[in-house]
Amino acid sequence: MVVVQSSKVPLPHPSSLSPPPHPHTTSILFEPSSLSLALTHSDSSISLYNSFSPHSHSLPHPQTLIPSPSSSSTFLLLQQPSSSSSSAAAAVLFIVSSPHRSRILLRLYRLRRDPPSFARVTGVLCCHKDLRFEPSLGVLLDAKHGAAVRLAGSVNYFALYALSSNRVWVFAVKDDDGGDEDDGGGVRLMRCAVIECARPVFSMSVALGFLILGEENGVRVFGLRRLVKGRGGKRKQLRNRGGGLEVVNCNGDLEGKMERHGVAVKQTNVKFKHDDRDGGSCFVALKGNEVKTKSTTKVSMSIKAISIQAVSQRMFLILDSRGDLHLLCLSNSGIGVDITSNVKQLHRIMKVQSLAVLPDLSTMSQTIWISDGCHSVHMFTAMDIENALNEANDCNDKLMHIPVNRVLFSSEKIQDIISLAANSILILGQGSLYAYAIS
């Protein structure tokens, strides 16, 4: 017998000082190891909650309210090398990007243990000329903010994309020995790599040793370890200029070139012989929509990869702008230069607007949730994807057919969804949060 438990959590106004009409909540972020919740509001302010409980009758006013403007945000787990591999031993950071004059401002908040709450990081040590920490503001990156900035965080690393600069920065974060963890301070911020993009980036994922950029008609996959460390441990700058991807040392010396043939990226070094220990990347195309014209010719409609979620150690789900899902399968751990991959499209059961997957990849029983952006959420599992992938490969089918295990219906129109646990989901409606647990 399947039991579905549900609870409704009304949302408070983010600030009693804001004049009417009060801003409403537009999106949610959840960090499962600390049960931290971030609510982004229509005025771009952010409410931070620690130890969120879906069984609460209502949310109180947040202890930490990040004032507007904010353009993007992400959680990051700060794992010490001497700590255990479990995410429970990691410190939790929350990173927010904002425009500040002609630069990008990064504000960092850390989850304190006693009392449990998020506090501003009071000291950030920056090791590069284009980074500067201002105690009253945060970290200033010498780059134009422009119309769009995206953040994606993982364990000890996060990526930042600025559309106006057409660049992706990869940063590493670690504890500064002089910082007081419970005083909210003491981290070191290091720029590891810069990617100059020839095409706009619509989504990013930093997970499981990969950096994946969602582009038009496909995704670009980088091995994160080699991207960060480079050849011989040198930091790298990568320039994606249509004809190829140039790998350049931070001092400007040309180190290598990766030329693109079709949808794959193959490395050919300029100064060094081919070495499998060097970093690499590949571009994987998504099948676009074809439209017949009056002359009976077919014109391919471009699609954009707008969401990327890790499903297992080697599989990622990609949501495109047309509302279709694609399964990206990677054949290695991202350490070698040749990142071989393939992608299969899932059979459409509806036009998907939102995709949510639990970040915990320790079990194949994890749940995938998809929403139509109206009033329904469909549920299936990673094991269902594995079985469907095997059947599609055996039958040489172009589409994967995934059975839907459960369907949830919401009385309010769905704005966003996030996975809370293996079989729990949090739904953002028009004025409330709805938590569902299936057992």
Side-chain angles (χ1 to χ4, degrees), residues 55-130:
H55 304 294
S56 303
H57 296 291
S58 64
L59 279 176
H61 287 284
Q63 291 182 333
T64 304
L65 178 63
I66 302 175
S68 61
S70 64
S71 51
S72 186
S73 59
T74 186
F75 283 104
L76 181 142
L77 294 182
L78 196 57
Q79 183 77 56
Q80 298 300 316
S82 59
S83 302
S84 64
S85 59
S86 65
S87 59
V92 177
L93 294 181
F94 187 73
I95 305 173
V96 183
S97 64
S98 306
H100 182 74
R101 298 179 180 175
S102 60
R103 295 184 176 93
I104 298 174
L105 173 64
L106 296 175
R107 289 175 283 177
L108 281 70
Y109 295 80
R110 185 169 187 156
L111 181 58
R112 299 184 302 183
R113 290 193 299 258
D114 189 20
S117 61
F118 280 92
R120 281 282 298 271
V121 175
T122 57
V124 180
L125 180 61
C126 303
C127 307
H128 305 277
K129 293 181 179 180
D130 57 349

Side-chain angles (χ1 to χ4, degrees), residues 55 73 78 87 111 128 137 166 197 204 262 284 311 331 362 403 438:
H55 304 294
S73 59
L78 196 57
S87 59
L111 181 58
H128 305 277
L137 294 173
N166 279 333
C197 305
M204 289 194 306
V284 187
V311 177
S331 63
S362 60
I438 300 177

Side-chain angles (χ1 to χ4, degrees), residues 182-194:
D182 286 334
D183 192 33
V187 297
R188 184 186 298 262
L189 182 63
M190 295 160 288
R191 189 192 67 237
C192 300
V194 179

Side-chain angles (χ1 to χ4, degrees), residues 208-221:
L208 305 175
F210 295 100
L211 167 65
I212 304 179
L213 307 180
E215 300 180 2
E216 188 175 14
N217 296 323
V219 295
R220 191 173 302 277
V221 185

Side-chain angles (χ1 to χ4, degrees), residues 343-404:
V343 64
K344 279 189 175 292
Q345 185 176 340
L346 274 66
H347 179 72
R348 173 181 276 207
I349 56 176
M350 63 181 183
K351 184 176 181 180
V352 180
Q353 294 292 326
S354 301
L355 168 67
V357 183
L358 182 70
D360 183 13
L361 305 178
S362 60
T363 174
M364 283 302 298
S365 63
Q366 68 186 91
T367 305
I368 294 95
W369 310 87
I370 56 175
S371 170
D372 59 359
C374 294
H375 298 275
S376 70
V377 177
H378 294 234
M379 163 190 165
F380 52 94
T381 68
M383 186 62 70
D384 296 331
I385 292 182
E386 282 278 9
N387 295 335
L389 178 61
N390 294 332
E391 292 179 3
N393 290 335
D394 293 340
C395 302
N396 199 22
D397 289 341
K398 294 183 178 180
L399 296 180
M400 293 174 54
H401 297 265
I402 308 293
V404 174

